[in-house]
Amino acid sequence: MATVCFGAFMGQLDASIVTLTYGSLRSEFGTSLAAVEWVSLAYLLTLVALLVPMGRLSDAHGRKLMYLYGFVVFTVASAACGLAPALGALVGFRILQAVGAALMQANSVALVTTSAPPDRMRTALGVQAAAQALGLALGPTVGGALVATWGWRWVFGVNVPIGLLALVAGQYLLPRTRAHHPSSGFDWAGLGWLALATTTALLGVSAASGLPVPGWGIAVLFAVAGAAGWAFVARQQRAAAPLLDLALLRGRAVSTGLVGALCGYLVLFGPLVLVPIALTAGGTSELVAGLVLTALPGGFALGATGADRLLPRSMSERARCLVGALVCVGALAAMAVLPMTDRSLPLVLALLGLGLGTFTPANNALIMGSIPAGSSGTGGGLVNMARGLGTALGVALVTLALHLAPPGGPGLHGARWAVLILLAAAVITVAAAWLGPRKPLAPGAAARRRGQSPRRV
């Protein structure tokens, strides 16, 4: 668990720390916010496209092996990002970094769920989520301090020593996969359709956020995204070795859980972009903005580790999801009416994080408990793909709101519109939790329903 948490910590540290570099990158490279956001979006798009394929490869060839390869690629790419001479090069190195992150994240949940006893799965997933929250919590603080002192390049350089330590720990502490599930091939066409769908959809949102793309071009991007998504589903239905077994999505626990995971991470990452921009625009320093933002992942860590002790043990996963999602709605409703200052935001952000920390482990347990152990790598990839899509949408939609209604403009300014978008996502999270199964499937039940034999790997 401790070794797996290195990867969880590292991935989220990198995701949150980068948002503090936006102002410095705009100044150094003389470009727009819509262009700079691709430092995050290029990473997230690559990650989303590769999570399910990497999970499938890990099921076939061994999770420890793929996990360690991920550390190597991620660490080398982090060093390259810190040395990037131009914005284009930085975006390219971030894509390489995302390849390594996909190898790590596709295996993180799978390594936990195939090692923890069924009655301790939620607790184990809570520990893993707490490690992610620790990375998120340190990201804004460390990022603000590094940008204010040594510059934005050290934001990427900090990953190198962490990656080297995690690589050594993984080599000696992670157990080898005892049984493999070799596949008959790899669905390259499916990967292409999936990558095209996610890339064009988020490129369309980003273009609407301020990139120099005409209106008809934005419409074409969304049309291509819809067509590619349809083609991906059609391909999975007839491929001999599909990237994604669509039968996994037919269970209510998995389908509603993935919607909840997407919206939950949209709500989590939206403020990571919004708060630094809103505070620094009002004259707050980047270091103080980072310290304020720490309240969100700090509350997440508290909820992920403490909710199991505070809530009744007899409470179902669905009920825990509902409690956490409703707390998120309340926190975002308060944020929509309170002034966005460094005095009012910490408590609201901490409450939002507490709700998300309560929701996420229970939601993950619902999903992974309904996926056969032999497909846990693919299931973990699905969970992390939903998270990645939510993260990318959080970045893109907040940027879109700020672009369409700039702060300080007439009427409801951009920051308030962004909060309303996050509030709508939180309401969808409540709906997904409400529609979840009243009596969740026991682990392996999904496999038995399809006539498979659930095996632990």
Side-chain angles (χ1 to χ4, degrees):
M1 273 298 307
T3 307
V4 169
C5 285
F6 268 119
F9 170 84
M10 202 169 164
Q12 298 306 315
L13 176 76
D14 191 72
S16 64
I17 202 172
V18 169
T19 61
L20 272 295
T21 68
Y22 282 8
S24 297
L25 291 173
R26 289 178 68 184
S27 299
E28 177 157 341
F29 297 122
T31 187
S32 67
L33 177 61
V36 167
E37 74 170 334
W38 276 90
V39 175
S40 292
L41 287 181
Y43 176 91
L44 294 170
L45 285 169
T46 306
L47 186 65
V48 167
L50 292 181
L51 279 168
V52 172
M54 293 305 182
R56 189 168 179 81
L57 287 174
S58 300
D59 286 336
H61 302 294
R63 298 183 188 110
K64 174 179 178 176
L65 181 66
M66 295 298 175
Y67 198 67
L68 294 180
Y69 283 165
F71 272 126
V72 172
V73 174
F74 188 90
T75 304
V76 171
S78 295
C81 286
L83 300 173
L87 183 62
L90 177 58
V91 171
F93 290 139
R94 286 281 284 170
I95 291 173
L96 180 62
Q97 195 180 37
V99 175
L103 285 164
M104 291 191 296
Q105 291 190 26
N107 288 287
S108 181
V109 174
L111 285 167
V112 172
T113 55
T114 55
S115 301
D119 61 337
R120 300 283 290 169
M121 186 187 299
R122 185 180 62 243
T123 302
L125 290 170
V127 172
Q128 192 252 2
Q132 290 181 318
L134 180 61
L136 285 171
L138 290 179
T141 306
V142 174
L146 289 175
V147 171
T149 53
W150 294 346
W152 66 266
R153 295 184 185 275
W154 283 96
V155 165
F156 299 101
V158 74
N159 289 327
V160 176
I162 299 174
L164 293 175
L165 178 62
L167 183 62
V168 173
Q171 175 64 34
Y172 290 101
L173 298 180
L174 279 180
R176 294 179 62 187
T177 302
R178 298 300 178 186
H180 298 167
H181 300 265
S183 61
S184 57
F186 190 83
D187 185 14
W188 291 103
L191 174 59
W193 287 121
L194 177 62
L196 181 61
T198 55
T199 300
T200 51
L202 288 173
L203 183 57
V205 176
S206 180
S209 303
L211 288 180
V213 178
W216 63 265
I218 297 173
V220 168
L221 286 171
F222 283 124
V224 171
W230 177 85
F232 172 73
V233 172
R235 171 70 186 177
Q236 299 314 289
Q237 291 175 335
R238 66 175 186 272
L243 281 181
L244 175 61
D245 181 3
L246 296 179
L248 293 176
L249 303 179
R250 291 173 189 156
R252 187 189 297 182
V254 177
S255 57
T256 59
L258 290 175
V259 171
L262 186 151
C263 291
Y265 267 70
L266 192 159
V267 170
L268 177 61
F269 273 83
L272 294 177
V273 176
L274 173 63
V275 171
I277 293 174
L279 290 181
T280 54
T284 305
S285 71
E286 290 170 321
L287 179 57
V288 173
L291 289 172
V292 169
L293 199 54
T294 302
L296 173 59
F300 187 100
L302 181 63
T305 55
D308 220 23
R309 299 179 180 179
L310 295 176
L311 296 175
R313 296 187 65 87
S314 59
M315 182 178 284
S316 68
E317 308 291 8
R318 174 179 174 271
R320 291 168 186 265
C321 289
L322 275 171
V323 169
L326 287 170
V327 170
C328 293
V329 170
L332 287 168
M335 188 184 294
V337 297
L338 292 174
M340 286 198 179
T341 66
D342 55 4
R343 294 184 179 182
S344 62
L345 279 175
L347 181 60
V348 176
L349 290 174
L351 185 63
L352 178 61
L354 186 66
L356 289 168
T358 303
F359 170 83
T360 301
N363 187 60
N364 290 348
L366 270 177
I367 297 170
M368 297 304 294
S370 300
I371 291 177
S375 298
S376 59
T378 303
L382 276 172
V383 172
N384 281 292
M385 184 174 74
R387 291 175 177 178
L389 280 171
T391 302
L393 285 172
V395 173
L397 291 177
V398 165
T399 305
L400 176 62
L402 293 174
H403 171 71
L404 294 180
L412 194 64
H413 62 70
R416 298 298 181 193
W417 281 115
V419 173
L420 291 179
I421 290 173
L422 299 177
L423 179 58
V427 171
I428 295 174
T429 305
V430 172
W434 178 261
L435 294 173
R438 267 60 173 178
K439 296 180 179 180
L441 293 172
R448 288 190 292 272
R449 247 184 359 190
R450 295 196 302 273
Q452 300 174 0
S453 174
R455 291 176 289 174
R456 298 189 66 80
V457 184

